[in-house]
Amino acid sequence: MESVKQQLVIDCNETSQKELNEQIREAAKKGIKEVVIKNPYARHNLGVGITDPIHLVYEGDVGYYASSLCDLISAIVKGNAGWAIGENLMNGEIIVEGNAASSTAASMRGGTVVVKGSSGARTGIGLKGGTLIVGGDVGYMTGFMMQKGKMIICGNAGKALGDSMYDGTIYVAGEIAELGNGTEIVECEKKEYEEIKSLLEFYGVAVPASFKKIVCNGMLHNFNKKEFGVWKTVL
């Protein structure tokens, strides 16, 4: 019986994005456990559309949409990430050892995305499930139209945090420049803090002393635009 190969190494200097993604998909179907992507040089669309279990190791910075539209994968970026890493992740785990640009984990539906540095504007936009952890700061409109899931921000948050969110929870350890429409700060219970602490320790992220908990206040759930005063204030 032929043994299963454990690792495949792909050099981006010798492979196009299309060829690389085809090789990863084929490797996953064959049961190869890990693919190491050398010299990514911030190229876009690396490791997208992978729906079979496999571990991806990016040895350097990645560009837009790395490991997006994926399911059941795990991935680690040994550098920084461009826009929308982990976009539409269905399940799995993605870890970015550096910083990430805008729209990190946009529309993520499940799994875990960890950015050990900071993340840009619209982080977690349209989040529909899963857990997003940012070890540093996040930009404006983080959590915009969030529908479900959990975000843990260990640094500061920009303006319009959680704007128009319908459900889910955002935890922020640092300062919040401005809350978004339809949100409010409520008490973070001790049990929640202990769960967050355990999660951060697992991923090697420094644990802040406390968190603010941001949730939807329900104003946008049953909104009547005839109430002009409220409409003007909210929108």
Side-chain angles (χ1 to χ4, degrees), residues 100-176:
S102 300
S103 301
T104 296
S107 298
M108 180 171 74
R109 285 163 166 75
T112 304
V113 174
V114 181
V115 178
K116 294 193 174 182
S118 294
S119 185
R122 304 182 188 87
T123 291
I125 185 173
L127 197 73
K128 295 174 176 65
T131 300
L132 173 58
I133 298 171
V134 180
D137 303 332
V138 294
Y140 68 90
M141 294 191 78
T142 285
F144 175 64
M145 294 195 73
M146 181 177 178
Q147 297 178 30
K148 202 175 179 182
K150 178 167 60 180
M151 295 178 58
I152 302 168
I153 301 162
C154 298
N156 302 319
K159 292 183 177 181
L161 177 68
D163 191 89
S164 301
M165 67 186 291
Y166 290 92
D167 204 346
T169 310
I170 303 174
Y171 299 94
V172 180
E175 298 298 319
I176 300 171

Side-chain angles (χ1 to χ4, degrees), residues 72-100:
L72 304 174
I73 70 159
S74 63
I76 184 166
V77 178
K78 296 183 177 181
N80 302 311
W83 290 3
I85 185 166
E87 187 258 354
N88 265 299
L89 179 70
M90 300 299 292
N91 200 1
E93 178 185 82
I94 300 172
I95 299 172
V96 180
E97 293 189 340
N99 300 313

Side-chain angles (χ1 to χ4, degrees), residues 159-212:
K159 292 183 177 181
L161 177 68
D163 191 89
S164 301
M165 67 186 291
Y166 290 92
D167 204 346
T169 310
I170 303 174
Y171 299 94
V172 180
E175 298 298 319
I176 300 171
E178 176 191 76
L179 284 176
N181 294 317
T183 64
E184 63 180 350
I185 298 176
V186 298
E187 181 183 0
C188 178
E189 298 180 1
K190 183 178 179 180
K191 180 181 178 181
E192 293 174 280
Y193 177 80
E194 291 301 322
E195 290 174 351
I196 293 170
K197 179 182 177 183
S198 177
L199 196 57
L200 295 179
E201 288 176 342
F202 177 81
Y203 285 108
V205 177
V207 181
S210 62
F211 284 92
K212 306 173 191 67

